[in-house]
Amino acid sequence: QPPVRGLRASPRARCAMPSWVIDRYGRNDVLRFTRDMVFPTIHFPNEVIIKVHAASLNPIDLSMRSGYGATALNMKRDPLKLKTMETEFPLTLGRDVSGVVMECGLSVSYFKPGDEVWAAIPPWKQGTLSEFVVASGNEVSFKPKCLSHTEAASLPYVGLTAWSAVNQVGGLNQSNCSGKRVLILGASGGVGTFAVQLLKAWGADVTAVCSHDASTLMKKLGADDVIDYRSGNLEEQLKTLPLFDFILDNVGGSTEKWALDLLKKWSGATYVTLVTPFLINMDKLGVADGMLQTGVTVGSKTVKHLFKGVHYRWAFFMPSGPSLDEIAELVDSGKIQPVIDQVFSFSEVPKAFLKLEGGHARGKTVIDVIGKK
């Protein structure tokens, strides 16, 4: 008789594991280490359980710790409102994982226990600052062979965010990028360092905006021009350069007011911003009104800019195993390298959060989960 509900029988009967969790939203003091986190179970036949070797932090982890997007995320966690209120806790943060497959649901044909994989887990699922994590097979991909787990964990979330912005929303790819002028605002963070390398691999001419102390790193990653946003008026500096075909904005805020004027008009040039009001609107206005308000904002901005002859788009992270497969190929062929600012041990997770909160990282903050505790 087959095992029940898409589970492969396994010898382990564990019920708890070490994890970093939060029990309420707030500042760094809400982070709590526990050895009693519920062990993840496979609920759907396409899921896999991954033993986490390394994880990394992204700005979304800070946002989620503080409760940003909770309305929208809870709607996604429990769309039918089956559970009572406040059931998201204890909540495990962390979106990136590099590790080893432990167990597979019955319909998973692509992976088997023992495979080395990487993934970015979407924000409505329990995170990776834990000994084990569950993911859908379509979110998972084989880890690049040339990277250690610690290196690999730095890339999935920022890589998929940049990929979504540049390729899926921006329409750029290997065959149409050659010679295009691209401007990256906020180039020294995780998404920026990835985007610079991706666009250079595809043959674009890349101008990176960052602070002065990151300029050596930008040059090393291949940026053609590096502009220090602190050395005078950024807008004036950029206006002296030839116009751009594509702008990727990781900064948002007042930048939008003038940055669109740096695009070539009526040539299909596109401005893609990763700073979207979607989750904030949902928290402030409630779900239906939030979606409506967001639709109105993006609609009016798009129309306004179309009249000026440029495209205005929003992008955000989307989990995708197939996109990670393409990213892994670029990594294994030497075109994209991880950029790691600092590695922390699993016991130092709060320290890692403080580091991320301090801002001005050069690349990624990584957590070595499996290292000596």
Side-chain angles (χ1 to χ4, degrees), residues 22-23 58 126 160-161 209 217 228 233 255 265 309:
I22 61 172
D23 305 295
N58 296 285
Q126 284 289 28
L160 288 169
T161 303
V209 174
L217 170 64
D228 172 9
N233 184 321
T255 319
K265 305 283 180 283

Side-chain angles (χ1 to χ4, degrees), residues 214-243:
S215 57
T216 317
L217 170 64
M218 287 300 116
K219 286 283 186 209
K220 198 180 115 200
L221 297 179
D224 300 278
D225 287 305
V226 182
I227 293 183
D228 172 9
Y229 67 85
R230 292 181 179 154
S231 69
N233 184 321
L234 178 60
E235 187 181 348
E236 297 308 318
Q237 288 184 76
L238 288 168
K239 280 187 174 154
T240 62
L241 300 174
L243 293 171

Side-chain angles (χ1 to χ4, degrees), residues 256-257 260-261 263-267 301-311:
E256 270 189 20
K257 293 190 178 57
L260 281 124
D261 296 333
L263 287 170
K264 293 176 184 166
K265 305 283 180 283
W266 308 109
S267 65
K301 281 190 174 180
T302 306
V303 169
K304 185 176 95 183
H305 295 305
L306 268 179
F307 280 123
K308 294 185 182 172
V310 296
H311 298 284

Side-chain angles (χ1 to χ4, degrees), residues 21-86:
V21 298
I22 61 172
D23 305 295
R24 58 190 163 84
Y25 297 117
R27 299 193 66 74
N28 223 33
D29 56 356
V30 299
L31 289 164
R32 169 174 74 91
F33 178 74
T34 174
R35 295 195 174 279
D36 307 320
M37 187 59 179
V38 183
F39 201 90
T41 50
I42 289 177
H43 286 291
F44 299 100
N46 70 332
E47 288 181 328
V48 297
I49 292 176
I50 300 168
K51 181 169 175 62
V52 180
H53 282 236
S56 83
L57 295 185
N58 296 285
I60 188 171
D61 292 304
L62 288 176
S63 306
M64 285 178 67
R65 187 201 67 194
S66 311
Y68 163 87
T71 315
L73 294 174
N74 282 338
M75 184 173 110
K76 185 80 182 167
R77 287 177 186 122
D78 184 19
L80 302 177
K81 299 262 184 289
L82 298 176
K83 301 174 187 156
T84 50
M85 291 300 287
E86 294 301 322

